[in-house]
Amino acid sequence: MLFRSPRVREWWIAGALAGITYGLLLFQASLELPPNTPLTGQIAYQPVWKVAMALLLTRAAWFHRAPGERRWLMIALLFSGLGDFLLALPGLKVSFIGGLGAFLMAHLAYLRLFVPLGSDLRPQRLVGCGLVLGAAGALLGRFWPNLGPMMWPVTVYIGVLAAMACAALLARLPTPLAALGALFFVVSDALIGTAKFLSPFDTYQLGIWWTYAIAQLLLVAGVVAEREARSEGDRKST
């Protein structure tokens, strides 16, 4: 059984359903609009739909019994929800930079969660970390000529994202779900960067959402799975 706690399972499933629902709404909108039409602003109450998954997953994280991990997981999800909300309002002048900042804080919270767990130094994990760092450097180099005033914010963001993914890869957890979730997050953010700083491509918005939703669901599942039975004192050091 992935989750021991019924309340964790119920709220996680609710979050998954919210993510799937929003993804289907995006897909329906994409069918009704010309190719490459921005999907933001095409769905009624779109910011609410978009933020629902992160909020429901935050509620699932509330029932995780390790207090240190619970705190940082909830902070990461709440900042993710803020980023979702801001990016769903492109009319705001601070939409992109505010969303970038919110997700930067989310990655820092995930990083704080995973670093104390970083004792899985198996060769495949270390190789995976090296590949993530190499991919991050390649992406930054590809984006660099087009970054303009966003040069340093994007550099910091990519560095923190890569560090978070490496920390998740090296974290000793009961399942590889969190590591996979971090890799999906890297893919999602790479798609955002490609669309923002290189060139939009058909259905990239769908790809961004689905990889992001999978990332958050796997990250939460990887942290809380099979861990509710442990005493609260076991992880206080985190």
Side-chain angles (χ1 to χ4, degrees), residues 43-196:
I43 300 170
Y45 306 106
Q46 188 161 1
V48 177
W49 284 108
K50 191 173 185 181
V51 79
M53 181 186 72
L55 294 180
L56 291 168
L57 290 178
T58 302
R59 181 60 175 168
W62 174 262
F63 297 105
H64 182 42
R65 292 187 180 180
E69 294 174 7
R70 178 175 66 233
R71 178 174 62 253
W72 292 110
L73 182 58
M74 292 181 66
I75 290 172
L77 291 166
L78 288 172
F79 272 113
S80 296
L82 177 60
D84 288 333
F85 185 81
L86 290 172
L87 292 176
L89 298 170
L92 292 178
K93 291 183 178 180
V94 298
S95 175
F96 182 76
I97 191 65
L100 187 73
F103 277 110
L104 176 64
M105 297 304 295
H107 291 318
L108 286 171
Y110 274 127
L111 182 63
R112 176 61 181 81
L113 190 162
F114 289 127
V115 164
L117 305 174
S119 59
D120 191 342
L121 301 179
R122 287 176 292 175
Q124 62 268 33
R125 296 287 183 134
L126 293 173
V127 169
C129 183
L131 291 175
V132 166
L133 294 175
L139 280 173
L140 182 60
R142 188 70 179 87
F143 297 158
W144 192 263
N146 301 322
L147 293 179
M150 294 293 293
M151 182 180 300
W152 294 115
V154 171
T155 299
V156 171
Y157 185 91
I158 290 178
V160 172
L161 173 65
M164 183 278 289
C166 281
L169 282 165
L170 300 180
R172 189 171 295 279
L173 291 165
T175 73
L177 296 179
L180 291 173
L183 294 177
F184 270 100
F185 225 137
V186 172
V187 173
S188 180
D189 282 350
L191 291 175
I192 292 175
T194 299
K196 182 71 176 178

Side-chain angles (χ1 to χ4, degrees), residues 3 8-9 11-19 51-63 73-74 77-78 110 212-221 224:
F3 305 121
V8 171
R9 181 172 61 251
W11 286 103
W12 186 89
I13 290 173
L17 291 175
V51 79
M53 181 186 72
L55 294 180
L56 291 168
L57 290 178
T58 302
R59 181 60 175 168
W62 174 262
F63 297 105
L73 182 58
M74 292 181 66
L77 291 166
L78 288 172
Y110 274 127
Y212 165 73
I214 292 170
Q216 294 284 35
L217 290 167
L218 290 178
L219 282 165
V220 174
V224 305

